[in-house]
Amino acid sequence: MKQMMFVPPTANAVKKGLAITVLPIALMLSGCSQSQSPASQAEQRVQQPEYMNTALPMETRVKALIDSMTLEEKIAQMYNDAPAIERLGVPAYDYWNEALHGVARAGEATVFPQAIGMAAMWDREFLNDIATVISDEGRAKHHAFKAQGISYRYAGLTYWSPNINIFRDPRWGRGQETYGEDPYLTGELGVAFINGLQGDDDTYLKTAATAKHFAVHNGPEITRHSDNYVVSDKDLYETYLPAFEKAVVDADVEAVMCAYNRVNGMPACGSDMLLKDILRGKYAFDGHVMSDCGAIADFYDRKAHASTRSPAAAAAWAVKSGTDLNCGVGTLSSFANLSFAVQKGFIDESLIDQAVTRLFMTRFKLGMFDPDSNVPYSSIPMDNVGSADHLAMTQKASEKSLVLLKNNGVLPLKSGIKVAVIGPNGDNQDVLLGNYNGLPVNPVTVLDGIEHAIGADNVTYAPGSALIADIYGHWQTLDSSVIFHRDAHGTLQPGATVEYFAVERGKMTNFAHPHFPATMSGSAQVSEILNELTIRNMHSPVSGKMLDDYGMVVSAELVPKATGEYLFDGNGDITLDGKPVDGPVTLKAGQPYSLQIKHTFATDPVSNTADNLLREWQLRWVNTSTELLAEAKKAAKDADVIVMAVGISPRIEGEEMPVKLDGFNYGDRSSIALPAEQQALIKAMYKLGKPVVLVNFSGSAMALNWEDKHVDAIVQAFYPGEATGTALARVLWGDVSPSGRLPVTFYHNLDGFAQFEDYDMTNRTYRYFEGDVLYPFGYGLSYTDMQYSALQAPSSLATGNDLSVSVTLKNAGEFDAEQVTQLYVHMPDVPVRTPNVSLKGFTRSAVVSGEQMSVTLTVPADELVYIDEQGNKVPYTGKLEVYVGDGQPGFTEKTKLTQAVVMVN
């Protein structure tokens, strides 16, 4: 792809009213030399359109650009992969990019804990620092791509993060992407994250953040394209919308993504109530709205909403309601039908202009039509990505996110002990990362971290079981211990031979599944020896160009160390002794097998993606006939302590997945218990009579009932980022005291829960649940004794005033530690149903052992309201019960919770 250069407007553009000014070309194109003679500058003077004049207001420039476009050009700019307009010098741009917990799908980047783990930190300031690092890395990557003329998906600056939906039901597989179940916590963290992504420059956005998915969206995954969620005004404004209001009003988020589902009968991307009345009306949002990917096609898809039969009507409907950008994905672009919609009078061209104006305002705010020298974020270097400072920050984030749920005194572990690391997540990189992730720079598994902390000689390891059924956590990459090649003398040597080929692109012939075939051609251009079957290469070995197409053929002799039935996992055509591998294969120890893998790394023009940008290539295998439980018992035999790494993984919980297993339903969960295989493994380890420390990895709440009663300690890890192993070892051995707090409730089971698709908030989340819980929202233990006393609060407060309180926090234990202080309120004098209690303040403090400090929290007047049945905010009057301390009232020890009553008049 070539870098777009400015082309003077055609006569037709001038006729359409494009204002023209005359400026040197050096002022409009970044990277041009300005050390030219006056004569040479005069020779290069061109007529410059008004939209390139940086002296003018952005609004004026954008209007000039839109006025210069034809209707077809404007409509094409409303696709997520907007094409270039060469005659106007407008480069191609793809709006789709991800930065949920690090720059995602764009090669290597620092991988922070998954969003639910970052929520467990309960730390606005540090989350803002993390988002600042993410936007640093995003800017560096974008400008590196821009320098090569690359405008593929995941190369831009419009990030479709954060996900601020409310995690109202533990069955939701995408709950891991959120900040938990509480609207206040979600809103506060969302603001911090958005501010870090968008920067603090008065003129330019650093990146553009997106609050998603608007609104009333949190599963089920399998029916999200057809479901209609009926929600009361009270629940809408009390639970589902507050975080979005903060994102728009407090953080000035640049973009909002509307959801797949219908809300009260209307598709979310065509809901006047949501997009016109609330978002642009009540919240005064002035950015752009994009559809979730394929959501407009759901308007007319017979298997989805089927709200209209006409693609043109669906497109017009969405734009009229306020959806400006169509992410199409497999359905391509429904907005391609807007030309017909205008022709037939379904929609006025002025509404097309409105949408395109909003989209280009974002691009102008990002500095995409200004010289890089004007944009303060354009010079962040690529060596910033995955730097030592950033890796140290993700380790710190992991440490803050780990939640200690139980400890009978076994933790912190003592030095000089022997440890058995047991469990399917013990050496599983998947659980470090969660979903929507980048490639980790230095991934450290549980096993890696513990071996590094106490020495490999003091550690034994066994996975013990599958995660569930035939889903394994202990896949191993094939390396030089089992793959060999023959050198020029015919001698067998470690490693595999890989040859790289040029690629030819064919014409589209399969219109049922649109794609352009890419095939290897000619003879090998380059070859090398791989000691491990892993490739992370953003440059073509054939052409040397970034993200250029190439093909590879890997050849090796595979010599297994153990006889068994093996599964292989990796992209490409795999053959053993010339036979295709498409399922389990029986292999014998010591017997050589001729292994060949063919794979093409090619861009996909239909989806505008580059294969070698999205993921690394690797070939992994697992011996499925191993006696896993017997191996675990053997590994634990001589250990002093068993550290069990269990739970689930983003391979079985997540977004609309093809997983249908016991307890798992296409990405969601139908049970919140551990899989039966792992329950049996835990009980077998417990019977050995050794201390058991359970580390649970999951993006959602787990019913750890038996485990809570029997094992010695439990750590909830969520998906803690690439420094997981290092952070966990530091917590287990007491180098740092655990300080994470749960952003969701852990229930005993799903008894009392309504159907998943029922969006009434009755008996959901800590705010409305009436039953007993296993671990409450806000819960978490420490190695030290944090005590609260002397709550200072006014006895009365005038309506409309902020409430400020202070409390004494003392570290009466032996460990220096960080402590999350939480403030909850209860409003007993309201005439309608209100939450049991509501979080209205929190802060994190570092307290040295033996010292104390005063902690002040302020609740804004706008939070001292209740929501009536019509969804209105009503200032509260009456007795206000205020609780400040280590958690919720009813679940927190007396020395760790203070309370006061304030009369609000």
Side-chain angles (χ1 to χ4, degrees):
M1 300 181 69
K2 60 184 180 181
Q3 178 74 28
M4 288 304 306
M5 301 293 287
F6 171 74
V7 179
T10 63
N12 181 56
V14 176
K15 288 178 183 177
K16 288 178 64 67
L18 176 62
I20 303 295
T21 32
V22 179
L23 288 172
I25 194 169
L27 292 180
M28 38 174 256
L29 295 178
S30 61
C32 295
S33 171
Q34 298 189 35
S35 59
Q36 303 172 8
S37 68
S40 63
Q41 287 182 358
E43 291 174 2
Q44 294 188 17
R45 294 170 75 88
V46 297
Q47 286 187 319
Q48 184 195 31
E50 193 174 14
Y51 72 83
M52 295 298 291
N53 185 352
T54 59
L56 296 174
M58 284 186 185
E59 292 82 358
T60 302
R61 296 169 64 194
V62 170
K63 185 178 187 305
L65 177 57
I66 306 307
D67 287 345
S68 72
M69 295 181 187
T70 66
L71 175 61
E72 289 72 20
E73 287 170 340
K74 286 183 283 192
I75 291 171
Q77 295 301 306
M78 298 169 70
Y79 314 159
N80 68 277
D81 52 339
I85 309 176
E86 296 197 17
R87 70 181 187 86
L88 297 177
V90 175
Y93 182 70
D94 198 314
Y95 287 82
W96 190 344
N97 211 342
E98 305 286 354
L100 182 63
H101 55 119
V103 179
R105 302 174 178 176
E108 285 190 347
T110 306
V111 181
F112 291 92
Q114 177 58 290
I116 193 70
M118 293 195 295
M121 301 188 307
W122 289 58
D123 194 331
R124 300 177 187 84
E125 293 76 13
F126 191 56
L127 183 59
N128 180 264
D129 293 342
I130 288 172
T132 299
V133 162
I134 293 171
S135 54
D136 282 349
E137 295 195 0
R139 266 288 176 176
K141 284 177 174 288
H142 169 73
H143 289 284
F145 293 134
K146 177 183 173 183
Q148 299 298 318
I150 291 171
S151 58
Y152 295 135
R153 186 187 298 178
Y154 310 125
L157 291 172
T158 40
Y159 286 112
W160 294 358
S161 306
N163 182 340
I164 55 172
N165 293 129
I166 298 302
F167 196 176
R168 69 181 173 100
D169 191 302
R171 288 170 284 196
W172 189 31
R174 291 189 75 182
Q176 61 177 287
E177 300 174 25
T178 76
Y179 297 132
E181 69 185 44
D182 181 71
Y184 178 81
L185 180 65
T186 298
E188 293 292 297
L189 297 181
V191 167
F193 192 82
I194 291 164
N195 286 338
L197 285 188
Q198 297 195 161
D200 56 6
D201 188 78
D202 292 335
T203 303
Y204 295 102
L205 288 170
K206 191 178 184 185
T207 68
T210 303
K212 65 182 187 184
H213 309 80
F214 193 71
V216 194
H217 176 85
N218 37 49
E221 286 296 303
I222 190 62
T223 54
R224 62 183 181 168
H225 299 279
S226 57
D227 279 347
N228 175 40
Y229 301 136
V230 177
V231 62
S232 69
D233 289 338
K234 191 173 195 309
D235 282 342
L236 183 66
Y237 285 95
E238 192 169 69
T239 296
Y240 296 110
L241 292 183
F244 286 99
E245 181 178 8
K246 285 191 175 184
V248 174
V249 176
D250 296 350
D252 195 20
V253 71
E254 182 63 17
V256 168
M257 177 184 285
C258 50
Y260 285 117
N261 50 274
R262 280 173 288 153
V263 179
N264 293 347
M266 290 293 163
C269 293
S271 170
D272 285 358
M273 175 192 71
L274 289 174
L275 300 181
K276 284 185 177 180
D277 301 342
I278 296 174
L279 186 63
R280 297 203 183 274
K282 290 185 178 182
Y283 300 166
F285 176 67
D286 62 358
H288 70 265
V289 173
M290 75 200 66
S291 75
D292 206 339
C293 297
I296 308 305
D298 287 344
F299 284 30
Y300 56 85
D301 189 331
R302 297 290 91 189
K303 296 180 180 179
H305 299 312
S307 297
T308 178
R309 297 183 63 181
S310 164
W317 179 354
V319 175
K320 277 189 170 184
S321 292
T323 301
D324 306 306
L325 186 73
N326 177 200
C327 178
V329 197
T331 56
L332 307 185
S333 179
S334 299
F335 277 10
N337 298 279
L338 283 172
S339 181
F340 180 79
V342 172
Q343 175 190 332
K344 292 298 184 183
F346 294 179
I347 188 172
D348 294 332
E349 187 172 350
S350 62
L351 291 178
I352 307 292
D353 291 348
Q354 175 181 265
V356 179
T357 296
R358 291 167 178 163
L359 294 169
F360 272 97
M361 275 302 300
T362 298
R363 290 178 68 177
F364 272 75
K365 288 179 188 178
L366 289 164
M368 292 180 174
F369 292 88
D370 294 0
D372 280 353
S373 57
N374 286 15
V375 183
Y377 308 114
S378 63
S379 60
I380 299 173
M382 275 295 288
D383 60 11
N384 192 277
V385 177
S387 67
D389 287 345
H390 291 185
L391 294 180
M393 185 176 287
T394 193
Q395 177 186 316
K396 184 178 179 182
S398 296
E399 292 169 3
K400 286 172 174 273
S401 73
L402 297 173
V403 184
L404 182 60
L405 299 179
K406 178 184 178 180
N407 184 22
N408 67 3
V410 68
L411 296 179
L413 297 174
K414 297 178 174 58
S415 59
I417 62 172
K418 292 188 179 296
V419 174
V421 176
I422 305 294
N425 285 331
D427 197 28
N428 184 5
Q429 278 196 27
D430 292 339
V431 297
L432 314 185
L433 309 179
N435 65 2
Y436 283 93
N437 59 283
L439 296 181
V441 178
N442 182 35
V444 184
T445 66
V446 174
L447 178 62
D448 294 335
I450 292 178
E451 285 185 339
H452 181 76
I454 66 173
D457 291 344
N458 296 313
V459 182
T460 52
Y461 160 72
S465 74
L467 280 164
I468 183 173
D470 60 351
I471 308 293
Y472 297 94
H474 60 284
W475 293 91
Q476 295 295 311
T477 306
L478 278 75
D479 60 20
S480 56
S481 66
V482 293
I483 53 173
F484 303 90
H485 69 283
R486 295 195 181 274
D487 62 18
H489 304 290
T491 306
L492 211 58
Q493 301 288 352
T497 301
V498 57
E499 297 176 305
Y500 299 107
F501 295 79
V503 166
E504 288 185 353
R505 304 305 299 258
K507 294 183 179 180
M508 186 180 296
T509 57
N510 184 346
F511 292 93
H513 303 283
H515 73 283
F516 295 90
T519 56
M520 287 182 273
S521 64
S523 57
Q525 303 293 302
V526 184
S527 65
E528 64 175 327
I529 303 300
L530 289 180
N531 288 320
E532 180 180 291
L533 294 189
T534 298
I535 294 176
R536 285 188 181 184
N537 197 347
M538 291 178 65
H539 291 77
S540 165
V542 175
S543 68
K545 295 179 181 179
M546 182 180 283
L547 303 184
D548 211 10
D549 295 351
Y550 67 95
M552 73 169 188
V553 176
V554 176
S555 302
E557 293 292 310
L558 172 62
V559 184
K561 292 182 177 181
T563 297
E565 192 171 72
Y566 288 82
L567 286 175
F568 289 81
D569 176 48
N571 290 328
D573 297 324
I574 307 168
T575 62
L576 281 174
D577 289 342
K579 298 178 181 178
V581 175
D582 56 7
V585 179
T586 300
L587 304 176
K588 294 183 179 180
Q591 179 173 324
Y593 298 86
S594 178
L595 171 68
Q596 186 179 78
I597 310 110
K598 294 181 179 180
H599 182 61
T600 301
F601 298 87
T603 57
D604 180 357
V606 176
S607 62
N608 197 39
T609 54
D611 185 58
N612 48 348
L613 179 63
L614 300 179
R615 62 186 72 85
E616 66 184 347
W617 177 86
Q618 60 181 186
L619 184 65
R620 307 190 301 174
W621 68 342
V622 62
N623 184 349
T624 64
S625 54
T626 303
E627 294 293 334
L628 296 177
L629 182 56
E631 286 188 352
K633 291 178 178 179
K634 181 179 178 181
K637 180 181 178 182
D638 297 323
D640 299 310
V641 174
I642 301 172
V643 174
M644 299 200 68
V646 298
I648 53 181
S649 96
R651 288 205 165 201
I652 53 178
E653 68 166 346
E655 183 176 5
E656 202 172 349
M657 304 172 74
V659 176
K660 181 66 174 175
L661 295 166
D662 185 25
F664 296 86
N665 189 43
Y666 300 103
D668 294 322
R669 302 171 63 199
S670 53
S671 167
I672 59 173
L674 282 168
E677 296 91 328
Q678 295 187 58
Q679 292 186 47
L681 173 63
I682 294 168
K683 291 174 181 178
M685 294 299 101
Y686 172 77
K687 287 181 179 179
L688 297 179
K690 300 174 184 290
V692 174
V693 177
L694 194 77
V695 183
N696 181 70
F697 292 88
S698 63
S700 49
M702 305 289 290
L704 303 172
N705 299 306
W706 187 93
E707 294 76 14
D708 179 68
K709 292 179 179 178
H710 293 86
V711 304
D712 298 273
I714 301 175
V715 176
Q716 173 62 26
F718 296 106
Y719 299 133
E722 65 178 279
T724 292
T726 305
L728 178 64
R730 282 173 51 78
V731 167
L732 294 182
W733 271 269
D735 296 320
V736 60
S737 178
S739 59
R741 296 294 183 266
L742 291 180
V744 290
T745 304
F746 275 44
Y747 303 93
H748 288 289
N749 48 51
L750 294 173
D751 293 351
F753 274 77
Q755 293 296 310
F756 192 4
E757 59 271 21
D758 183 346
Y759 272 68
D760 188 296
M761 287 304 298
T762 300
N763 215 36
R764 293 189 188 276
T765 77
Y766 82 96
R767 301 205 305 159
Y768 310 104
F769 192 70
E770 298 296 337
D772 183 34
V773 301
L774 180 61
Y775 306 117
F777 171 88
Y779 177 79
L781 302 176
S782 172
Y783 291 156
T784 196
D785 180 18
M786 293 289 190
Q787 299 180 354
Y788 288 87
S789 62
L791 176 62
Q792 301 294 314
S795 59
S796 63
L797 183 73
T799 302
N801 287 348
D802 297 345
L803 171 64
S804 290
V805 301
S806 63
V807 67
T808 298
L809 171 62
K810 180 180 180 180
N811 184 345
E814 299 178 355
F815 287 80
D816 298 345
E818 292 189 3
Q819 173 71 7
V820 174
T821 298
Q822 305 166 41
L823 185 155
Y824 295 86
V825 302
H826 175 57
M827 301 176 177
D829 295 336
V830 291
V832 295
R833 178 205 68 174
T834 55
N836 303 322
V837 292
S838 291
L839 180 73
K840 292 297 179 182
F842 65 92
T843 190
R844 177 182 272 263
S845 310
V847 192
V848 174
S849 172
E851 295 189 359
Q852 66 182 38
M853 63 187 301
S854 179
V855 175
T856 299
L857 295 167
T858 299
V859 182
D862 192 50
E863 293 289 347
L864 297 175
V865 299
Y866 67 90
I867 305 299
D868 68 16
E869 298 296 348
Q870 290 72 46
N872 300 308
K873 290 183 180 179
V874 180
Y876 177 70
T877 58
K879 182 171 69 172
L880 182 72
E881 298 171 359
V882 181
Y883 304 88
V884 180
D886 193 32
Q888 290 182 57
F891 298 98
T892 307
E893 298 175 27
K894 290 183 178 179
T895 59
K896 300 182 182 301
L897 185 71
T898 58
Q899 64 185 84
V901 173
V902 178
M903 294 302 300
V904 183
N905 304 305

